[in-house]
Amino acid sequence: MKHLFDFKLGLITKTLSMFAAVLLLTITTSCEDEVYPVAGSFPDKTPPSAAFSATQGVGFDNEWKTFSFSNQSSSATDFSWDFGDGNSSTEFEPSNVYPGEGTFTVTLTATDKLSVSSTYSEDIVIVEPEAPSAVIPPILEAGFEDNSLPDGTGDGRDSWRLSGAGVIQITSSPVYNGSQAAKFPSAGDRAGYQALEVTPNSDYTLSYYYTMKTSGSGNITVWILPGEVTEFSQIDTSEAIASFVGTDQSDANTYVKVDLPFNTGANDKVAILITNEGVESRLDDVSISAD
Amino acid sequence: MKYLKCTLFVALVALVSSCESDYLEPVPTSAISSANYYTTPEEVETAVLNIYDGIQGVFDFGMDENRALQLEFYLTEMRSDNTRTKSSEGEAAQFESFAVEATNGIVANYYQSYYNVIYRANVALENITAAGDMADKLEAEAKFLRAYAYFNLVRLFGDIPLVDRVISPADKATPYARVSTSQIYDLIVSDLTVAAAGLDNSSSYRASKAAAQTLLAKVHLNKGNYLEAQQLCEAVVGSGNYSLEANFKDVFYNEGNDEVIFAVGYIGDSDESQNFSSEFLNAVGRTSGVNYVTQDAKAALDAKGGERTMYSYRIDSGQTTQNQVAKYIPNGDAALGIEATSSDPQKAGNDWVVLRYADVLLLHVEAILAGGNSTSSAAALSSFNAVRNRAGLADDSDSSITKQELMDERRVELAFENHRLFDLMRMGAAQEVLSAFATSTGVSFTSSDLLLPIPQREINLSGGEMKQNPGY
């Protein structure tokens, strides 16, 4: 390697005397270039190719209006950016603050020292990011009323069925609201189950009303379970995200309100499970809100 | 400390395996060949151990050896705002000035070493049926290691050749055909899914379920699949097999501790030793000092490190204006209460921790943050504060973790563990942070510096078929 270098150095020294003449020749020929191509000239073999990508800023204030550009051009030395909002730049990798929402056509012209250029354009669509808010899932047949499904059908409990568990009964008295409520006989062999699509890591509150007969002892429990199952046997209540054990037996005709707060954690689906033990119980008007 | 037996002969033998079946084939009676070797589960296991051996590498300084893991700090920490050379000399200094050349020998060694690891994994997978009852477990291990190799390569080089089987020397296309990163990620996800299903958490020196889950969580974070990443982190936490060491120092100097999910083991003064530890110390290692701590990283650790700071960097006693990495000291430090891991520091026994529990906890926060600006989720705060409390720091002051706070915490918790560059890239902050850092040190950074050049040797061998990354 060193030997090669010495050899080159010697060559350069020897040819140094010829250098001035060559330079002169180049200058005189360059004006002819514009009119007639010199014999032996050839087109730019490595023409520029313009390309870029854009990244939107992240932050609390107006960072979303700032775009930084990553230059992916090749074989180019000079760059000219038109950001589509009246601003421009000749930096290699500039950033631009846009006035606000809208679609802007960004154009990059990449040029080499032979004045060959390449142009690339891309539309960037700027939308102000919305503050992330939790999705409020619809609860079907939330009041256990007949024909209350979105298509106007249903027996008030179709959305609460789960294979392997007895379907809930419907009662017309007492109810909290409307003309029907869910009824769980004292045998405790019924379950209401409905899966909901939710936003992960969000706080929700499930609200409902329940009442119990005054004799005997037992409870009506509402569980929030992670994910969705298709068989009652797959349920493991030890995994429940939240639960409320209702034991208010003071008046069989007066409904008591329960607010059950929970956080969805690493789940984009949770399920409501309603079961009872020992005492005939009623439940009505289930609703959900995001905190 | 456990170690992996060197089984290089397996790889050598496998290389000459492409004999045509038309020839007379007397089975050799006095030598082992790949055609007749892999017949028992124990023999297939040697093929799997051979993959670990390839990652562990050799302590030799020769650049034809498998050295990727021991050289990784050049490509990651020294190409970030964390470390630099002491004297800005030679090709080692190309990294800190973001002026890596396609002829860089360290980059070439890294690329070649990890494709050798992939080759070793493919040999094991090709013979996996001979493993009988052990086949599922050994397949899971081989796939974890192959995914680990590809995950490193795809993040550093972008589009790379996809080699998912043993190819013959006659195949001139596959080794040079760059495929899209999404195809590489498909293989990584598929391999890690198999690995997570087929392994348990019985060892931190061999692949485990938690190691596969953690790596897969990282892959999902790279792809923006936050929910999957969160579920995987919670599975690792929920396994109950791992915990934070009470004392930060013990993470590195009490080897085989409960915080380590996956580590590459080394034994001092043996053929299973490493020499990166000594390279971090001028006058101990062979170089003039590499992976020295930048002022930027020192300032971050001083401000936010808490009890971690003194075990993250120390003043170079030979030149007190310089700071050295303190996580892998080979020859002991009486003031810090650290014992030597070998009598010859260039044959050190310090393990390399690839994945640990604190990393998982901070990945968990990142998954819940889900690309947003901040989170006040109780689950995220619990993970975040556990890491802070161990370092002797109070809970997050306003119970809301911002992206910046998370990046700062990861930087000081995982300093000099080869995470910083990947973290900046994954969290979309690399261009901004590294541009500003380059300006402060008087060098130039452009977005094309995020990917390393494909080694020029590969491009030459491909006969021009293989195209270089932009900017090189």
Side-chain angles (χ1 to χ4, degrees):
Chain A
M1 196 59 203
K2 191 164 189 304
H3 178 75
L4 188 71
F5 181 66
D6 288 345
F7 170 72
K8 274 188 176 168
L9 203 66
L11 200 68
I12 290 166
T13 324
K14 278 175 197 165
T15 53
L16 208 61
S17 52
M18 293 167 63
F19 188 62
V22 175
L23 194 71
L24 254 176
L25 192 70
T26 319
I27 291 168
T28 36
T29 53
S30 66
C31 30
E32 289 175 3
D33 257 2
E34 291 170 334
V35 190
Y36 309 106
V38 171
S41 76
F42 48 79
D44 194 341
K45 281 192 169 175
T46 52
S49 165
F52 66 85
S53 65
T55 313
Q56 189 170 16
V58 175
F60 293 104
D61 301 317
N62 285 316
E63 286 88 341
W64 59 275
K65 292 181 185 172
T66 303
F67 274 71
S68 48
F69 295 92
S70 157
N71 195 330
Q72 293 153 359
S73 306
S74 60
S75 295
T77 54
D78 299 280
F79 303 92
S80 167
W81 297 81
D82 177 345
F83 297 120
D85 63 345
N87 293 342
S88 61
S89 170
T90 55
E91 282 177 49
F92 181 65
E93 291 188 328
S95 61
N96 186 44
V97 181
Y98 283 92
E101 293 195 347
T103 301
F104 300 88
T105 304
V106 182
T107 305
L108 170 62
T109 305
T111 313
D112 67 8
K113 293 299 185 203
L114 296 171
S115 298
V116 179
S117 65
S118 160
T119 299
Y120 174 76
S121 294
E122 194 173 300
D123 284 350
I124 56 170
V125 181
I126 307 181
V127 182
E128 181 171 0
E130 287 176 26
S133 60
V135 171
I136 307 286
I139 297 178
L140 299 176
E141 298 176 308
F144 307 97
E145 305 294 330
D146 280 349
N147 305 320
S148 63
L149 285 173
D151 64 0
T153 65
D155 66 352
R157 52 185 186 170
D158 283 341
S159 311
W160 295 96
R161 293 173 195 267
L162 178 64
S163 172
V167 67
I168 54 176
Q169 296 181 344
I170 293 291
T171 179
S172 54
S173 178
V175 301
Y176 175 75
N177 198 13
S179 53
Q180 293 182 180
K183 179 178 150 192
F184 296 79
S186 60
D189 56 355
R190 313 290 172 130
Y193 181 89
Q194 186 170 152
L196 310 173
E197 287 187 10
V198 292
T199 306
N201 301 304
S202 301
D203 290 327
Y204 287 91
T205 301
L206 187 82
S207 302
Y208 60 91
Y209 298 83
Y210 80 92
T211 185
M212 302 170 73
K213 288 260 167 99
T214 52
S215 60
S217 83
N219 65 74
I220 174 161
T221 301
V222 174
W223 318 77
I224 305 293
L225 300 164
E228 182 178 14
V229 299
T230 52
E231 280 284 336
F232 187 72
S233 59
Q234 296 164 339
I235 286 180
D236 179 358
T237 51
S238 70
E239 290 177 354
I241 297 169
S243 63
F244 182 84
V245 182
T247 54
D248 189 330
Q249 290 181 260
S250 49
D251 183 348
N253 290 315
T254 307
Y255 277 81
V256 186
K257 187 183 184 193
V258 174
D259 289 322
L260 177 56
F262 63 95
N263 184 287
T264 46
N267 297 291
D268 54 6
K269 233 173 206 184
V270 298
I272 306 168
L273 173 71
I274 313 167
T275 60
N276 76 315
E277 284 178 316
V279 179
E280 183 182 305
S281 310
R282 287 168 167 72
L283 190 140
D284 205 359
D285 257 25
V286 185
S287 64
I288 190 165
S289 61
D291 299 352
Chain B
M1 188 166 27
K2 295 166 192 175
Y3 66 97
L4 306 164
K5 282 239 184 275
C6 191
T7 51
L8 260 179
F9 70 91
V10 177
L12 284 172
V13 171
L15 277 172
V16 292
S17 66
S18 61
C19 313
E20 295 289 335
S21 52
D22 299 339
Y23 292 94
L24 257 179
E25 285 188 273
V27 175
T29 52
S30 61
I32 296 169
S33 85
S34 66
N36 66 8
Y37 176 65
Y38 299 111
T39 53
T40 69
E42 289 71 27
E43 285 166 356
V44 178
E45 187 169 26
T46 62
V48 171
L49 294 182
N50 189 42
I51 314 170
Y52 290 99
D53 186 62
I55 292 174
Q56 181 192 45
V58 290
F59 67 91
D60 192 295
F61 288 103
M63 291 302 265
D64 290 330
E65 306 283 2
N66 270 4
R67 300 267 299 131
L69 185 78
Q70 299 188 40
L71 297 175
E72 193 173 79
F73 64 92
Y74 284 99
L75 281 61
T76 54
E77 290 297 280
M78 289 191 19
R79 207 155 58 91
S80 79
D81 49 3
N82 268 1
T83 64
R84 56 177 173 78
T85 58
K86 190 175 177 182
S87 57
S88 304
E89 285 175 357
E91 66 178 9
Q94 291 175 9
F95 299 99
E96 71 205 46
S97 52
F98 302 107
V100 181
E101 290 175 19
T103 50
N104 187 296
I106 298 165
V107 174
N109 181 281
Y110 192 91
Y111 185 96
Q112 157 192 307
S113 298
Y114 265 125
Y115 271 104
N116 180 269
V117 168
I118 289 164
Y119 162 73
R120 294 177 188 216
N122 288 337
V123 168
L125 290 168
E126 209 130 291
N127 293 287
I128 211 75
T129 47
D133 290 349
M134 285 171 69
D136 285 350
K137 180 177 183 293
L138 293 176
E139 180 187 0
E141 278 190 86
K143 288 196 164 172
F144 169 80
L145 297 168
R146 185 169 71 176
Y148 174 58
Y150 267 118
F151 191 37
N152 285 330
L153 289 171
V154 76
R155 288 181 292 175
L156 291 168
F157 295 95
D159 296 352
I160 45 171
L162 180 68
V163 187
D164 59 358
R165 62 190 190 286
V166 177
I167 54 173
S168 85
D171 184 345
K172 301 291 186 201
T174 312
Y176 308 114
R178 299 184 68 180
V179 307
S180 70
T181 56
S182 65
Q183 273 177 273
I184 302 290
Y185 273 119
D186 286 348
L187 179 72
I188 294 171
V189 170
S190 136
D191 277 358
L192 289 176
T193 305
V194 171
L199 293 168
D200 57 24
N201 290 337
S202 54
S203 171
S204 58
Y205 290 101
R206 298 270 292 256
S208 65
K209 181 187 269 305
Q213 288 168 327
T214 306
L215 209 56
L216 189 53
K218 254 182 226 205
V219 170
H220 279 308
L221 286 174
N222 268 283
K223 293 156 64 82
N225 301 333
Y226 299 112
L227 186 60
E228 286 91 334
Q230 186 183 353
Q231 287 165 340
L232 288 159
C233 291
E234 289 182 4
V236 175
V237 174
S239 74
N241 295 123
Y242 306 95
S243 58
L244 293 177
E245 282 293 291
N247 186 340
F248 188 69
K249 174 186 154 192
D250 292 339
V251 176
F252 304 95
Y253 295 104
N254 173 24
E255 299 191 334
N257 62 75
D258 284 344
E259 182 163 340
V260 174
I261 295 172
F262 181 58
V264 177
Y266 292 98
I267 297 178
D269 299 315
S270 78
D271 286 347
E272 315 298 333
S273 67
Q274 49 88 350
N275 56 22
F276 63 80
S277 280
S278 63
E279 298 287 81
F280 298 173
L281 311 176
N282 183 22
V284 175
R286 186 199 50 147
T287 65
S288 56
V290 290
N291 218 26
Y292 266 60
V293 177
T294 62
Q295 284 302 314
D296 202 66
K298 177 183 180 296
L301 279 159
D302 288 346
K304 302 188 166 98
E307 291 166 8
R308 292 170 290 207
T309 308
M310 67 186 294
Y311 301 110
S312 296
Y313 80 86
R314 66 170 184 183
I315 293 168
D316 181 354
S317 57
Q319 193 175 350
T320 53
T321 53
Q322 302 275 346
N323 296 292
Q324 304 170 323
V325 170
K327 285 183 171 176
Y328 318 93
I329 297 170
N331 53 349
D333 183 318
L336 292 174
I338 294 166
E339 287 177 21
T341 62
S342 63
S343 59
D344 175 359
Q346 292 196 9
K347 298 177 84 174
N350 306 60
D351 290 351
W352 178 259
V353 178
V354 177
L355 298 168
R356 61 185 177 94
Y357 192 60
D359 187 10
V360 175
L361 292 176
L362 294 177
L363 291 174
H364 183 227
V365 178
E366 189 176 330
I368 295 174
L369 196 60
N373 288 326
S374 69
T375 177
S376 49
S377 143
L381 281 164
S382 156
S383 293
F384 193 67
N385 289 335
V387 173
R388 286 180 61 82
N389 295 162
R390 191 267 298 272
L393 299 172
D395 284 356
D396 183 82
S397 55
D398 60 357
S399 293
S400 168
I401 308 162
T402 64
K403 182 182 168 187
Q404 187 63 47
E405 285 175 335
L406 176 60
M407 289 205 306
D408 290 346
E409 198 64 39
R410 276 192 76 83
R411 185 180 193 187
V412 295
E413 173 68 31
L414 302 165
F416 321 125
E417 295 176 51
N418 300 356
H419 288 282
R420 175 68 174 164
L421 180 71
F422 292 141
D423 288 351
L424 289 173
M425 288 164 66
R426 188 179 64 241
M427 296 176 84
Q431 190 173 345
E432 187 192 340
V433 170
L434 297 181
S435 293
F437 175 71
T439 306
S440 76
T441 60
V443 298
S444 160
F445 174 87
T446 62
S447 60
S448 60
D449 292 323
L450 286 177
L451 290 183
L452 286 167
I454 298 287
Q456 189 60 39
R457 177 175 54 203
E458 299 298 316
I459 290 177
N460 294 351
L461 285 170
S462 78
E465 191 57 39
M466 209 174 185
K467 295 283 177 271
Q468 186 53 276
N469 278 329
Y472 292 101

